[in-house]
Amino acid sequence: MSTIKITNIQATGETATRAVSGVAAAWHLLDGTGTISTLSSFNVSSATDNGTGNYVTSLSNNMSNANYIISGTAIGNSSNNYYSHITSDGATSDVVAGSYEYHMKHHAGTTDDINRIRTVVHGDLA
């Protein structure tokens, strides 16, 4: 069996390259409590707190359009038992080429700040 070793991946038509260790187009680990902070990330330039449980992650390198996939999980404190999912309010501005907005929901349906939010983006970079 042969081994191929590379440092970066760049799809035809993309202007940005992806490190082999970060094959996803972007990923973000956010502490969404108090003054929010990025704990770790790839292809993320900033995060914005839009209110209780409402966040926007901005990308360093834009996606080619708004047709990309975002998935994620959330871990709240053990007494609150948070669902592990991300929701959207359905507005067309939730996902654009350079950023994505998301809302964190408690299992009871209320929106809450979460201390560990992990999002991953898959799709074509611009």
Side-chain angles (χ1 to χ4, degrees):
M1 177 176 263
S2 299
T3 301
I4 298 172
K5 294 183 179 184
I6 59 174
T7 303
N8 291 304
I9 297 172
Q10 183 176 2
T12 303
E14 289 184 347
T15 57
T17 60
R18 306 176 202 199
V20 173
S21 62
V23 175
W27 52 264
H28 191 198
L29 173 56
L30 177 73
D31 181 342
T33 58
T35 301
I36 67 169
S37 63
T38 294
L39 303 174
S40 188
S41 68
F42 171 74
N43 192 25
V44 170
S45 60
S46 65
T48 304
D49 186 346
N50 279 352
T52 304
N54 182 339
Y55 311 97
V56 174
T57 293
S58 296
L59 302 172
S60 300
N61 295 291
N62 286 356
M63 303 302 287
S64 62
N65 55 47
N67 298 324
Y68 56 92
I69 303 301
I70 305 157
S71 60
T73 61
I75 299 173
N77 67 44
S78 60
S79 65
N80 287 329
N81 301 316
Y82 290 103
Y83 275 138
S84 297
H85 72 277
I86 298 169
T87 65
S88 164
D89 67 7
T92 56
S93 63
D94 286 349
V95 176
V96 296
S99 66
Y100 54 97
E101 180 178 2
Y102 46 102
H103 307 259
M104 303 312 303
K105 297 280 187 173
H106 183 275
H107 72 277
T110 59
T111 304
D112 284 322
D113 288 341
I114 309 286
N115 60 355
R116 292 292 183 272
I117 304 164
R118 294 164 173 86
T119 57
V120 178
V121 174
H122 291 276
D124 296 327
L125 291 167

